[in-house]
Amino acid sequence: MGRFLAGMVGRSAYRVMGAAWLLAGTVASAQAAADVQAAAASAPDAQAPDVHATTKPKSGLDPTSIVVTGNPERKAVIKRMTTALSRQHDRQLARFDGEVCFQVGGLNAPYDRIMAERMEQDARDAGVAVGKPGCRPNIVVVLADHVQGELERLAREGHTAISLGLEDKDLKQSAQGPGPAYVVTVTEQRSRDGNRLWAGKMGDLGDRPMMIVHDASIINPPTRQDIVTVLVGIETAATMGKTLAQLADYAALRSLADIKGAAAVAGAEPTILGLFNGSPGIMELTSYDRAYLKGLYHGPAAVTATTRMHEIVTAATHKPAQ
């Protein structure tokens, strides 16, 4: 497995680390209305204005017949679930910037390609650019026996881990997980414009990691967290009885987003993350899963985790107009 992974990924990836003005406006508006009514009453043969008259809205809909509805309890559950799932990096959520390229191995060649194509479509649906055929993979999915042991072996063979753009501690930590799916996500901090850290001179302090940042904001951070490489290993025994669509959708969610796996939240929304823990009837990415990815990849990358999770919750609870 180690040689297979090294061949696919190569050495392409590495890790780096107002109340006053409102009151005044209200008083002014009230005074203006009083002046209009007084002028109308004093004018000869004038009729008092009909304060109850309404104009029909351009939409043709009667606003008195529209009732606002919603489910605040469901929104609260989705918010807790999203917070539990999302792994934060310096108070931000990581995502890919630029194109993604999938490589699947461990099945027969036609089935590997079918899974890869399904993952590519999942990425496009989320608004993520997909590389052209022959691109260098930055998302590698392997289905194999004893994946946990392979990760431990890669951690021991430092040169192999480096060739994959992975760090020993990440491999060891993933190998200690419960399985049967093991995910290693390599992230890198970059500036809002995509500049990387570089070794710069800081006077007597010597070489220190530096980054060029063109502007700063108290609302949006000057840096972002990019996903560089993802390795997804799934035990072959756990794939028995699963469809290629289920496996591909699971791997797509785990690789396109740096998440912690299934969230233990009471009343949680259905999610493909429950594929290996007995959740019934999850045949593909659920509406929540798709909303998570759409919210994650919505708008600029350099935003806080709070803002990003708000985008996800909004996407998961918004219902398009009929």
Side-chain angles (χ1 to χ4, degrees), residues 86-97 188-194 215-226 292-313:
S86 305
R87 180 174 287 110
Q88 297 191 30
H89 301 264
D90 193 22
R91 293 176 293 179
Q92 288 182 297
L93 304 190
R95 72 180 193 183
F96 277 98
D97 178 74
E188 180 179 275
Q189 186 182 53
R190 297 178 182 175
S191 75
R192 184 184 305 172
D193 301 318
D215 59 359
S217 169
I218 62 174
I219 300 175
N220 294 324
T223 61
R224 70 189 196 204
Q225 298 290 336
D226 286 7
Y292 190 101
L293 291 177
K294 287 183 179 180
L296 178 65
Y297 285 91
H298 177 266
V303 299
T304 64
T306 300
T307 299
R308 181 65 66 210
M309 288 188 287
H310 174 75
E311 295 282 0
I312 295 170
V313 173

Side-chain angles (χ1 to χ4, degrees), residues 158-208:
H159 63 281
T160 304
I162 293 175
S163 70
L164 294 172
L166 309 174
E167 290 193 1
D168 297 349
K169 63 181 182 64
D170 296 318
L171 292 167
K172 291 177 181 178
Q173 182 177 357
S174 296
Q176 295 169 0
Y182 304 88
V183 182
V184 184
T185 302
V186 178
T187 63
E188 180 179 275
Q189 186 182 53
R190 297 178 182 175
S191 75
R192 184 184 305 172
D193 301 318
N195 297 319
R196 292 183 170 91
L197 285 167
W198 56 284
K201 295 289 185 179
M202 297 184 65
D204 296 336
L205 297 178
D207 294 344
R208 290 292 186 274

